[in-house]
Amino acid sequence: MSPLGLLAASSPATPTTHVPHVDYLSILPMLIMIGGALALMVASSLFRKILTVGVGTWITAAVSVAALVAGLFQWDQISTHGAQVTVAGAIAFDGFDVFIQIVVAMAMLLTALIGDGYLRREGVEGPEFHVLAMMSASGAMMMGAANDLIVVFLGLEILSIALYVLAAFNHKRAESGEAALKYFVLGAFSSAVFVYGIALTYGATGSTNLPQIADYLSRNVIASNGVLLGGLALLLVGFGFKIAAVPFHMWSPDVYQGSPSPVTGFMAAVAKAGAFAALLRVFVSTFATARTDWQPIIWGLAILSLVVGATVALMQRDVKRMMAYSSINHAGFILLGVEAATTRGVAASLYYIITYMFLVIGSFAVITVMSRPGDTGHQISDYRGLARRQPLLALAFAVLLLGQAGVPFTTGFLAKFEVVAAAEATRAYVLAAIAMVSAAVAAFFYLRVAVTMFSPVGPVGDVADGADSAAGVGRPDDTPGDGGWAGDRADDRAGDGRGSPTSRDTGDPVSSLRVLTDAPPLDSVTERGPVAVPRLTWLAIGLSVGFTVVFGIIPGPILDFAHQATLLFP
Amino acid sequence: MTINPDWYLALGVVLFSIGAIGVLVRRNVLVMFMCVELMLNAANLTFVTFARMLHDIGGQVLVFFVLVVAAAEVVVGLGIVVAIFRRRSTANADDLHLMKG
Amino acid sequence: MSTTQFPYLTVLVLVPAIGAAVVALVPRQAVSRWFHEMLGLVVVVVTLAVAVAIAFQFKTGDGGYQLVSDHVWAKDLGIRWSVGIDGISLFLLLMTALLFPLTMLGARVRRDPRSFVAWLLLLEAACLGSFVSLDLVLFFLFFELTLVPAYFVIGGWGYARRGYAAIKFFIYTFAGSAFLLVGILAVAFIHQSQTGTLTFELPALMHTHLSGTEGTLLFLAFTAAFAVKTPVFPFHTWSPDAYAEAPTAGAVLLAAVMAKLGTYGIIRFDLNLFPQATRTLAPLLLTLAVIGIVYGALVACAQRDLKRLLAYSSLAQVGFIVLGTFALNSQGLTGGVLQMVNHGLIMATMFILVGWIYQRRKTWQVSGLRGLQSPAPVLAGLFTVAMMASIGLPGLNGFVGEFLVLIGTFVAHRWWAVVATTGVVVAAVYLLWAYQQAFHGEPSDEDAKTPDLGWNERLIVAPLIILIVALGVFPKPVIDRIGPSVDRLVIHVDQVTHTPLPAGLHAGSASTPSSHRLSGSALAGSNRPAGPSRASTTPTGGTP
C-alpha cells in the first residue's frame, strides 16, 4: 500500500515527501486478502506437488475467515472510536467500509467452498482460481474503503483484472474465453471512461479526494459547470458498466453465461458489492450537493434496469443468462436506494447487497452442481424433476429463487421492502410502483424454474404411479396435464448430443414422434440421475439458505447491521 | 510561445472520442485494445493539463497510476486474446458468438 | 382492545406454518405412505381446535380488536407482529380453519401427497395470518405468501392447462399487490410526516389525514390488489382459468378462502384508511360489482363446463359482497361480511361435490352427464342444497347475506340494487339448468353406474351442509358478533367523511325508524341483525 503515500503530496504543497500515517487495522482485511493471494501463489510455485485443490481451498477459506474476523475487529473499533480517514485521506475507515469488507469476505468464503467441488470435478489443477479470487476480493474491499477517486479506480481495476482472468480460467470451455474477452473489452472501455471522468472531476474541483471534493462543492455553487457535469456523467457510465445497469448491461448476459459457474456467482456478488459501495460513497456522500444533477440519471438507469432486466429474463432458456438479467433487475432495485440518496436509502442498498450476495452465490452453487461435468447443463429443462431426484437440493434452490423473487419471510422480501420504502420516503412513488411491478414479472421467471424442478419427468401417465393410488375417502382427482409450463418451451433447444426431454409434449404428435424416432429410450433421456453435490458445496448452499430464511424471519440483526453501517458513514 | 491549456483539454476530448468510437466501431480485438489505450492516454493528458492549470502536482501523480493499470490491463487482455486465438484463429469480435439469447 | 395471556392468534398462524415445515422436511422414505397426510390432517384439526377456542374467547358486543398481541418484528423497518380479530375476521377465521380439514379429506391427490399437504398447510398459515394481521406490512407479507402455495398447488396438481392458469393467476395477483405495497408505504410515510412516528399499524394509520388526491390514489392502489384477488369485474379474467384448471382442493381454497382475502382487505383497509375516497369512489365500485354480478351470471349461463360455471357464478356472488361493502351502511356491510362466509361454505361444497362427480365420471361437461339423480341420490340431494343456497333460497344461508346486501344497497344506492337483483334471477336460471341437465333425465349406461357418495364422503360434506342450513335458519349468533365491528367501521367512515346518511341509516343514531330494522329482524329473528344502532346491540348469549 506504500504507493498510496504519494498521494500525501497532493494535499500539502510542500516539496518534502513525508510518509503518511497508516492505520493498519483500517486496511487489514485487504492486506490479509492480498497477502493470502501472494502467499498462495508463491507457495504453489515452490511446492507444486503437495498443493492440491483441497489445500488451496482450505488456505483460501482460512484467509477469508481471517479477513472476516479482521472485519469484525474493525467493526468493534469503529463502534467504539467512530469513523476516521487514514493513509493521508485516501482510505475511509467507517461502518460503511467495514460492512463491505465483511460482505466481501463472506462472499469469498462461500466461493472458495463452491469452487472446491468445481475444480475437482473439472480437473483444474493449480491455485490460480483461489489466487485470482482473493485478489479480486481485495479490489472490491478497496472500493468499499476508497476515499479518493483514484483509489476507487485502483480498486475497480484490481477487482476487474482478476475477474477477466477468472472468467477465462477454465480453458477447456470455449465459452469462457469468449466471455472473458467480452468482459475485458467492455470492462477496459468502461475503466477508460471512468478515468476520464475522474480527470474531468479533478479539473472541475481541484482534487480527487472525496471529502475535499465535497468540501469544494459545498463552498462553491456551480450550477452549470460543464466539466463537472461531464465528469459526473462519465463516472456514472463507468459505474453503470460495473453494476450492469441498463443501458450498460450488454456484456453481462454473455459473461455470466460463459464464465465458469462459481466465478459467475462471485462476479455477481462481489463486483456488484464493490461497485455499489463506491457508487454510494462517491455519489450519495461526495456529490450530495449536486444531487439534483445526478438523481434523474440514476432514476432513469433504475427504471431501465428494472424493466429490461425483468422482461428480458422472461425469454431466457439458459439459467445463467436468466440470472444475468435477474441480476440486472436486482441492480435496478439497489439503484432505488441510491436514487433516494438518504441515510435510509444507503442502509437499504447495503442490506440489499448483503442479501443478494447470499442469494446469488447460493443460487450459483446449485447451478454449479447442476451443470454436471463440463459445466454445460444450464437449460431450464435440465432442472426438471430435480425435486424427485434430490428433494433437498431442489428445496434449497427453490428457497433461494423465492428469496430473489422477494417472497415474504425471506431476506429478499425485506431487501425489496427496504429499497422501495427508501424510495417512497423521498416520494418517488412512480419509481417504487415500477419496481414492484418489475418484481412481479421477475417473480414469474424465478417461479418457473422452481416449478420446473417440482414438475415430473417423463411422459403423461408416468406421473401417476399406480402404486400410490389412494383408496378411501376422496379418490385422486389428479390428472397430470400435458405440461403446460412455460419452462417446457426450453425443450426446443439445439440438441447437444443427449437429446432433450421433449417427451412431455406428448399432446403434440410431432414431438412424440420425434421422441419415438430419433431420441434414445425415454428413461435414459429424462432420468439423468442425481448430480453429485460435494460436501463443501452443501455447506455453502446451507449457509446461503440459512441466512435467507433465518434472517428473513428474524430480520433484526442484519437490518441493524446495515443501519449501523450508515450511521458511521461520514 | 505559450499554448492555451484549453487546447490540451480539447485534444484530450478528441483523443478520447476517437478511442471511444474506435472501441465501439472496430471489430478487431487488437485495434479495440489500442483504442482503449487511446482513451486512457486522453485521460492522462487531461490529468496533466489540469494539474498545470491548478498548479497541483497531484494530477501528474495520478498519471502514473493510470499508466500502471493500463499496462496490467494490456497484459491480461493480450493473454486472453492469445488464449482465444490458439483455439479459434481469429481476432475478430464478430466471430465470437457462441452465446446469444 | 383486550390483551390475553395466551397468544391464541399467534398460535393459530404458527401451528400450520410449523406443520408445513415438518411435513416438508420428513423424508418420504422414512415413514409410511400415509404419514404425511395424517400429519397434515392432525395439524389442520389442531388449527381448527384453536380457532374454535378463539371463538369461545371472543367477546360478543365488543366491536374493537380482541385477542390482540403486539410484538416488535423488524425494528428498523417499523414492522410489528400485531395481530387481533374483530367480528369481521372472526368468522372468516373459523371458515378457513374448517375448510382446510374438509378440503384435505375431500380432495386428496395421488401424486406426491407430501408436497401437496405441505403447500396446503403453508396456504392455511398464510390465509389465517392475513385475516388476523393488524399491521399493514404483516398483512401484506401473508397476503403475498398465499400466492406461492396457491401457485404450486395449481401448477403442480392441476389439469391440462394448469401451467397457463397458474401463471396467469400469479402474474395478475402479484402485479396487483405490487401497488398494494407501494400504497402501504405511502400511507405510512404520510403518517410519519404528520406524527413523526413510522408505523404500519392499522389503528394508528386510520387517523392519517389524507388530501383528496392522495386518498383517491392510495385507495386505487390498495383496491387494485384486492380487486384482482376478489376478483372484481374487469380484473377477473384469471379466475375462470385458475378455478377450472386447479385441482379440487385448489379450486375450493381459491374460491372459498383466497377470494375473501380481497373482500376482507377492502373492508378492513380501504374503509378504515381511506373513508373519504371510499365514499367518493363507491359508485365506481358499486357499478363494477353490479357489472360483475350480471356479467358473471350471464356468462355462467353459457358455460357447458361445471367448474367454469361455478367460477362465473362465484364472480357473480362476490359481486354481492362488494356491493354490500360499498353500500357503506350497517346492513350492507353486515350482509357483505356474512356473504363472505356463506359464499365460502357454498363454494366449498359445490367444488368438492363437482370434484367427486369428476372422479366418478371423468368429465365436467354438463352434456356428458345425465340423470345422475337416480344412481346417486345423496349426491344429487346435497348438490341441490348447495345450489339452492347459492341461488338464495330463504331458509338457507345465501338468502340472509344477499338479502341484507340488497337492503343495504337499496337504501343507499337504489338503482344498483335493482340491477343486481336481476343477477339473482339469472343465477337461478343457470344453476337450475345445469342441475336439470346433469341430474335429471334418463341416465345413460355409464351414468347409471355412477356410485353414490360413500359414508366417508357424506361425513366430509355434512358439516358444510349443516352450516349452510344453520346459518340460513339462525344467523343471529353470527350477526351479533359481526354487528358491533361493522357499526364501528360505519361510524368511522361517517365521521371522517361527515356525510350524514339518510335518516335512520346513520350508525349509532338513536332514532332508527323501525322500517329499516325490519330488514334484519324479519330475517334473522333477532332484535338486532342489521339494525344500525349500537345501543340496541344486546350481547345475547348465543354460542356458535
Side-chain angles (χ1 to χ4, degrees):
Chain A
M1 292 286 101
S2 57
L4 289 174
L6 287 169
L7 283 178
S10 65
S11 24
T14 46
T16 52
T17 311
H18 70 271
V19 178
H21 171 68
V22 177
D23 178 3
Y24 283 98
L25 180 63
S26 68
I27 52 173
L28 192 55
M30 269 177 270
L31 288 182
I32 292 176
M33 277 290 170
I34 294 179
L38 292 178
L40 184 58
M41 195 147 65
V42 171
S44 70
S45 47
L46 293 178
F47 321 106
R48 188 91 205 176
K49 293 258 162 57
I50 57 165
L51 208 89
T52 56
V53 168
V55 176
T57 301
W58 284 115
I59 291 175
T60 312
V63 169
S64 312
V65 170
L68 188 59
V69 171
L72 295 175
F73 267 113
Q74 285 185 324
W75 184 257
D76 185 54
Q77 172 83 6
I78 296 278
S79 309
T80 48
H81 294 94
Q84 48 182 305
V85 290
T86 180
V87 199
I91 295 286
F93 184 38
D94 52 20
F96 182 85
D97 155 46
V98 178
F99 188 90
I100 298 296
Q101 316 284 316
I102 290 176
V103 169
V104 173
M106 287 193 288
M108 187 61 246
L109 177 63
L110 293 176
T111 307
L113 298 178
I114 300 162
D116 185 64
Y118 180 82
L119 296 174
R120 288 169 197 270
R121 194 185 73 193
E122 303 293 318
V124 179
E125 287 296 322
E128 287 81 9
F129 175 82
H130 298 118
V131 170
L132 289 167
M134 281 193 278
M135 276 292 178
S136 186
S138 74
M141 288 173 162
M142 192 185 283
M143 291 182 85
N147 204 29
D148 190 296
L149 281 176
I150 210 72
V151 181
V152 173
F153 175 65
L154 287 180
L156 186 74
E157 287 302 309
I158 297 175
L159 167 79
S160 309
I161 293 180
L163 274 180
Y164 303 147
V165 186
L166 269 181
F169 91 97
N170 188 353
H171 52 84
K172 294 173 189 162
R173 294 186 73 214
E175 299 99 324
S176 284
E178 207 177 301
L181 191 66
K182 283 181 181 161
Y183 193 22
F184 173 77
V185 170
L186 284 165
F189 176 73
S190 72
S191 300
V193 172
F194 190 75
V195 173
Y196 197 68
I198 296 178
L200 293 184
T201 313
Y202 169 72
T205 63
S207 176
T208 53
N209 186 277
L210 298 181
Q212 285 178 20
I213 294 174
D215 191 42
Y216 177 86
L217 291 178
S218 63
R219 279 187 290 104
N220 303 281
V221 182
I222 29 174
S224 58
N225 183 334
V227 179
L228 179 69
L229 289 186
L232 273 183
L234 292 177
L235 287 178
L236 257 186
V237 172
F239 279 125
F241 269 105
K242 283 298 155 196
I243 60 177
V246 180
F248 312 112
H249 68 291
M250 54 285 195
W251 58 272
S252 84
D254 285 349
V255 171
Y256 275 47
Q257 187 187 355
S259 301
S261 303
V263 175
T264 314
F266 181 76
M267 190 188 288
V270 169
K272 265 208 175 61
F276 266 110
L279 176 64
L280 284 166
R281 199 189 285 279
V282 171
F283 280 86
V284 177
S285 171
T286 305
F287 290 123
T289 41
R291 182 177 303 177
T292 44
D293 291 326
W294 55 261
Q295 256 177 334
I297 309 179
I298 298 269
W299 192 86
L301 288 181
I303 285 191
L304 284 175
S305 305
L306 289 164
V307 172
V308 172
T311 46
V312 182
L314 285 179
M315 301 161 205
Q316 303 306 317
R317 299 282 165 261
D318 182 292
V319 175
K320 279 165 91 178
R321 276 190 98 81
M322 188 198 91
M323 292 294 285
Y325 284 105
S326 111
S327 140
I328 293 168
N329 180 253
H330 284 298
F333 271 101
I334 306 178
L335 281 175
L336 247 61
V338 182
E339 200 270 345
T342 54
T343 313
R344 189 187 191 98
V346 176
S349 295
L350 285 181
Y351 184 77
Y352 207 112
I353 287 169
I354 191 170
T355 298
Y356 179 64
M357 185 274 282
F358 276 101
L359 286 171
V360 77
I361 293 192
S363 303
F364 274 99
V366 179
I367 291 174
T368 304
V369 296
M370 283 302 291
S371 66
R372 298 172 189 270
D375 206 0
T376 50
H378 295 305
Q379 297 299 318
I380 291 178
S381 54
D382 290 325
Y383 289 75
R384 180 168 291 280
L386 181 64
R388 280 222 138 186
R389 299 195 297 271
Q390 283 160 299
L392 210 53
L393 189 62
L395 189 67
F397 197 31
V399 170
L400 292 168
L401 288 170
L402 292 176
Q404 294 204 50
V407 162
F409 300 106
T410 63
T411 50
F413 171 79
L414 291 165
K416 289 198 160 65
F417 182 84
E418 274 253 58
V419 288
V420 172
E424 290 208 28
T426 59
R427 308 232 155 184
Y429 296 124
V430 175
L431 190 57
I434 291 175
M436 285 313 296
V437 171
S438 91
V441 177
F444 166 57
F445 59 78
Y446 295 122
L447 272 183
R448 187 174 62 189
V449 177
V451 166
T452 310
M453 296 191 298
F454 285 92
S455 42
V457 185
V460 176
D462 190 317
V463 195
D465 34 359
D468 265 355
S469 72
V473 286
R475 271 159 295 272
D477 58 356
D478 172 16
T479 306
D482 58 353
W485 291 107
D488 294 356
R489 278 177 269 145
D491 296 336
D492 303 347
R493 68 179 198 268
D496 52 6
R498 56 183 164 72
S500 51
T502 350
S503 48
R504 277 164 322 289
D505 299 339
T506 38
D508 165 15
V510 181
S511 67
S512 51
L513 197 67
R514 197 163 70 216
V515 168
L516 288 175
T517 51
D518 59 53
L522 270 178
D523 292 357
S524 65
V525 178
T526 50
E527 287 293 342
R528 299 190 63 198
V531 293
V533 186
R535 205 172 292 162
L536 288 181
T537 309
W538 262 131
L539 182 59
I541 296 173
L543 285 173
S544 307
V545 172
F547 180 90
T548 303
V549 174
V550 171
F551 292 114
I553 296 172
I554 312 162
I558 302 297
L559 280 173
D560 269 350
F561 186 32
H563 281 261
Q564 290 273 321
T566 50
L567 291 183
L568 302 164
F569 194 47
Chain B
M1 184 185 102
T2 51
I3 300 173
N4 189 340
D6 286 351
W7 289 106
Y8 291 102
L9 294 181
L11 177 62
V13 171
V14 170
L15 280 179
F16 184 81
S17 309
I18 292 174
I21 293 168
V23 174
L24 299 175
V25 171
R26 295 299 296 265
R27 297 274 60 121
N28 186 303
V29 178
L30 292 174
V31 176
M32 290 163 91
F33 281 8
M34 285 192 270
C35 291
V36 169
E37 291 300 309
L38 216 52
M39 293 167 74
L40 288 171
N41 283 324
N44 283 341
L45 183 61
T46 313
F47 268 129
V48 174
T49 312
F50 277 130
R52 285 282 291 185
M53 289 168 75
L54 297 162
H55 305 294
D56 173 31
I57 194 76
Q60 303 195 20
V61 176
L62 300 179
V63 172
F64 289 101
F65 286 96
V66 178
L67 285 179
V68 171
V69 165
E73 237 173 24
V74 167
V75 169
V76 167
L78 287 180
I80 294 172
V81 172
V82 169
I84 291 193
F85 190 76
R86 274 200 196 143
R87 181 188 281 275
R88 308 277 302 276
S89 305
T90 178
N92 190 331
D94 285 341
D95 293 341
L96 303 174
H97 47 63
L98 279 180
M99 294 164 291
K100 53 171 95 83
Chain C
M1 287 198 190
S2 63
T3 314
T4 46
Q5 297 300 314
F6 185 72
Y8 281 100
L9 298 176
T10 308
V11 171
L12 183 75
V13 179
L14 285 184
V15 166
I18 294 169
V22 172
V23 170
L25 290 177
V26 175
R28 205 179 343 221
Q29 295 83 2
V31 288
S32 75
R33 203 159 62 217
W34 309 110
F35 179 82
H36 293 106
E37 282 181 284
M38 288 304 296
L39 184 61
L41 201 57
V42 170
V43 172
V44 286
V45 169
V46 170
T47 312
L48 177 59
V50 176
V52 171
I54 288 169
F56 278 103
Q57 290 289 320
F58 189 86
K59 288 190 196 62
T60 311
D62 179 359
Y65 300 115
Q66 304 187 21
L67 301 170
V68 172
S69 57
D70 188 4
H71 307 278
V72 175
W73 186 61
K75 181 164 61 67
D76 296 290
L77 303 181
I79 310 173
R80 301 178 70 85
W81 176 275
S82 173
V83 291
I85 53 166
D86 63 0
I88 296 171
S89 45
L90 173 69
F91 293 97
L92 292 170
L93 219 62
L94 283 170
M95 179 193 76
T96 308
L98 174 71
L99 287 184
F100 271 86
L102 299 182
T103 310
M104 228 176 245
L105 284 169
R108 296 170 54 192
V109 296
R110 180 157 39 166
R111 188 177 72 74
D112 197 3
R114 178 181 72 154
S115 312
F116 188 75
V117 168
W119 287 128
L120 284 192
L121 290 175
L122 186 61
L123 182 61
E124 177 169 29
C127 289
L128 291 172
S130 310
F131 287 133
V132 301
S133 299
L134 293 182
D135 185 291
L136 267 69
V137 175
L138 193 65
F139 171 81
F140 180 82
L141 282 166
F142 285 119
F143 187 77
E144 286 284 275
L145 192 60
T146 57
L147 289 185
V148 177
Y151 177 77
F152 278 95
V153 164
I154 300 172
W157 288 268
Y159 296 92
R161 290 169 66 238
R162 61 202 163 151
Y164 170 74
I167 284 166
K168 201 169 172 186
F169 159 75
F170 190 87
I171 291 282
Y172 268 70
T173 36
F174 207 102
S177 41
F179 295 104
L180 177 59
L181 182 63
V182 174
I184 289 175
L185 284 165
V187 176
F189 283 122
I190 291 172
H191 182 259
Q192 188 188 22
S193 70
Q194 288 168 6
T195 62
T197 49
L198 179 62
T199 178
F200 295 99
E201 291 199 85
L202 180 62
L205 293 179
M206 265 171 74
H207 304 296
T208 310
H209 177 76
L210 298 166
S211 74
T213 324
E214 281 171 344
T216 307
L217 286 175
L218 287 170
F219 174 85
L220 291 176
F222 273 64
T223 311
F226 300 140
V228 171
K229 198 95 162 189
T230 300
V232 175
F233 165 66
F235 309 107
H236 68 283
T237 50
W238 62 270
S239 72
D241 288 312
Y243 289 4
E245 303 303 330
T248 300
V252 169
L253 298 174
L254 273 177
V257 179
M258 289 181 67
K260 305 308 168 304
L261 291 175
T263 48
Y264 171 78
I266 291 176
I267 295 179
R268 174 68 84 227
F269 297 107
D270 278 351
L271 267 57
N272 269 318
L273 293 172
F274 321 114
Q276 186 64 57
T278 307
R279 187 163 304 286
T280 317
L281 293 175
L284 172 69
L285 269 295
L286 285 168
T287 310
L288 292 181
V290 169
I291 294 176
I293 291 170
V294 176
Y295 170 84
L298 290 177
V299 178
C301 290
Q303 299 305 312
R304 296 291 174 268
D305 176 307
L306 274 177
K307 255 179 143 185
R308 283 190 173 266
L309 186 142
L310 289 185
Y312 281 105
S313 96
S314 175
L315 174 65
Q317 289 198 21
V318 290
F320 279 102
I321 304 175
V322 178
L323 197 66
T325 304
F326 284 95
L328 294 178
N329 54 38
S330 283
Q331 289 101 326
L333 267 168
T334 308
V337 175
L338 197 59
Q339 190 62 8
M340 284 203 253
V341 180
N342 294 338
H343 177 252
L345 296 172
I346 296 168
M347 275 297 142
T349 316
M350 303 259 267
F351 271 116
I352 288 178
L353 289 174
V354 168
W356 286 338
I357 293 177
Y358 182 81
Q359 264 179 32
R360 288 164 168 73
R361 302 283 300 106
K362 295 290 171 215
T363 183
W364 288 299
Q365 295 302 315
V366 177
S367 54
L369 304 166
R370 192 139 189 87
L372 292 182
Q373 200 168 29
S374 53
V378 177
L379 178 65
L382 294 177
F383 197 89
T384 312
V385 175
M387 183 184 68
M388 289 302 175
S390 185
I391 292 170
L393 190 77
L396 297 174
N397 64 351
F399 174 72
V400 187
E402 262 176 30
F403 196 78
L404 280 174
V405 166
L406 286 175
I407 289 281
T409 316
F410 190 80
V411 180
H413 306 272
R414 176 167 306 168
W415 291 106
W416 280 272
V418 171
V419 181
T421 317
T422 60
V424 182
V425 180
V426 184
V429 172
Y430 64 78
L431 280 170
L432 287 173
W433 170 84
Y435 182 82
Q436 199 181 13
Q437 290 287 309
F439 287 93
H440 286 176
E442 199 58 40
S444 69
D445 287 351
E446 221 174 333
D447 287 321
K449 277 181 274 183
T450 308
D452 202 0
L453 297 186
W455 62 268
N456 39 21
E457 290 167 323
R458 293 178 202 187
L459 273 184
I460 290 168
V461 283
L464 293 171
I465 298 291
I466 291 170
L467 280 175
I468 285 175
V469 176
L471 286 178
V473 179
F474 190 57
K476 180 170 157 356
V478 176
I479 292 177
D480 281 349
R481 283 165 181 74
I482 296 174
S485 301
V486 164
D487 287 345
R488 266 175 77 110
L489 190 54
V490 173
I491 290 169
H492 172 68
V493 173
D494 288 347
Q495 273 176 351
V496 175
T497 57
H498 309 294
T499 315
L501 280 172
L505 274 170
H506 198 295
S509 78
S511 59
T512 309
S514 55
S515 60
H516 287 302
R517 282 197 189 195
L518 176 79
S519 54
S521 342
L523 273 169
S526 150
N527 63 343
R528 187 266 135 232
S533 155
R534 277 195 80 198
S536 68
T537 310
T538 43
T540 39
T543 44

